[in-house]
């Protein structure tokens, strides 16, 4: 297969052109639609994969009048989006686990941004991308913020206060339940970590020259794509 050709007239200025929010959204849509196409995703090589994506992006009515992107620009931008969104998913889950009583979704988001900044030393500027991907299986957070009516929260507080005067047997049951919930959280975290590792492995395979892939690498790539669909 011939490698995808870059536009020889594309200037360095165009290549460094900043991505807009609208372009990011269209790129994400292109990647999701192409990667989930059962026929295309399992049969095509890496070059054809990104050729379809760049055609989708440049042909989108939402970007009418915009300067066309090169496939290498789309690939590089997607790599950054995927990497940072995956890291933010972990920060968001940590914020949910630390959510205090009375805090809402806005409080959780602020905490997630603070965790991201503290751990990586940079601000998370791709929240619009996370919102596009957050409900997809590969980026879906297993933790859910506590959001409920005030009456429900009052019931929970009253129940916790009443626990102090309950028999020891009831407290023991509650402790065992919390322990089981802890095991469930660990299992969920491991599952997310496994998905991220598989995603990174697939990206490395897609980044290789298709003509240099071994038969075992092609089989592995097809298996990974099939599992993610």
């Amino acid at each position: 297969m011939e490698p995808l050709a870059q536009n020889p007239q594309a200037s360095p200025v165009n290549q460094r052109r900043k991505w807009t929010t609208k372009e990011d959204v269209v790129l994400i849509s292109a990647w999701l639609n192409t990667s989930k196409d059962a026929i295309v995703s399992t049969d095509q090589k890496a070059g054809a994969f990104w050729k379809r994506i760049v055609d989708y992006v440049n042909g989108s009515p939402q970007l009418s009048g915009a300067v066309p992107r090169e496939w290498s620009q789309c690939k590089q931008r997607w790599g950054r989006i995927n990497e940072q969104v995956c890291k933010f998913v972990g920060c968001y889950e940590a914020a949910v686990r630390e959510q205090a009583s009375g805090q809402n979704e806005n409080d959780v988001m602020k905490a997630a941004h603070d965790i991201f900044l503290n751990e990586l030393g940079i601000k998370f500027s791709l929240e619009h991308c996370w919102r596009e991907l957050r409900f997809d299986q590969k980026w879906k957070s297993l933790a859910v913020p506590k959001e409920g009516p005030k009456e429900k929260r009052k019931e929970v507080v009253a129940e916790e206060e009443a626990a102090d005067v309950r028999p020891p047997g009831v407290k023991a049951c509650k402790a065992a339940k919390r322990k089981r919930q802890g095991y469930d959280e660990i299992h969920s975290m491991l599952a997310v970590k496994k998905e991220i590792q598989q995603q990174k492995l697939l990206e490395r395979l897609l980044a290789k020259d298709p003509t240099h892939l071994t038969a075992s690498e092609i089989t592995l790539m097809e298996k990974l794509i099939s599992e993610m669909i």
Side-chain angles (χ1 to χ4, degrees), residues 18 38 55 69 96 107 148 157 162 166 168 209 220:
K18 184 177 180 180
D55 288 345
R69 290 286 185 179
V96 171
D107 297 318
V157 172
R166 287 174 180 170
D209 186 336
L220 175 59

Side-chain angles (χ1 to χ4, degrees), residues 42-141:
T42 56
D43 293 340
Q44 68 188 336
K45 302 298 182 181
F49 179 83
W50 287 104
K51 175 66 166 58
R52 285 177 60 90
I53 288 179
V54 76
D55 288 345
Y56 184 108
V57 170
N58 291 335
S60 172
Q62 299 181 51
L63 302 179
S64 177
V67 179
R69 290 286 185 179
E70 301 288 347
W71 72 271
S72 59
Q73 293 174 310
C74 293
K75 182 178 179 181
Q76 183 179 25
R77 181 62 174 177
W78 169 255
R80 182 170 185 268
I81 289 174
N82 181 51
E83 179 185 11
Q84 291 207 14
V85 169
C86 284
K87 291 177 179 177
F88 186 76
V89 168
C91 297
Y92 180 80
E93 291 199 329
V96 171
R97 289 193 295 271
E98 297 172 2
Q99 182 181 7
S101 177
Q103 290 186 328
N104 56 26
E105 170 69 11
N106 291 334
D107 297 318
V108 172
M109 283 299 298
K110 183 179 183 304
H113 276 278
D114 290 342
I115 294 173
F116 188 95
L117 177 60
N118 292 334
E119 291 188 355
L120 301 178
I122 58 174
K123 290 184 178 181
F124 181 60
S125 59
L126 299 176
E127 183 177 329
H128 59 284
C129 297
W130 172 76
R131 293 191 179 279
E132 292 293 321
L133 294 167
R134 64 179 301 193
F135 297 114
D136 189 86
Q137 185 62 37
K138 293 188 287 295
W139 295 275
K140 188 175 183 179
S141 175

Side-chain angles (χ1 to χ4, degrees), residues 155-201:
E155 291 177 6
V156 173
V157 172
E159 182 180 346
E160 291 175 348
E161 292 175 347
D164 293 334
V165 297
R166 287 174 180 170
V170 175
K171 290 185 177 180
C173 291
K174 290 174 69 67
K177 182 178 179 180
R178 287 195 296 268
K179 187 175 182 180
R180 288 195 300 271
Q181 290 176 340
Y183 287 143
D184 291 340
E185 287 185 1
I186 292 175
H187 180 74
S188 298
M189 291 174 61
L190 291 175
V192 172
K193 183 176 181 181
K194 180 181 178 181
E195 289 183 1
I196 293 175
Q197 290 174 340
Q198 289 179 332
Q199 177 69 22
K200 289 182 178 180
L201 176 57

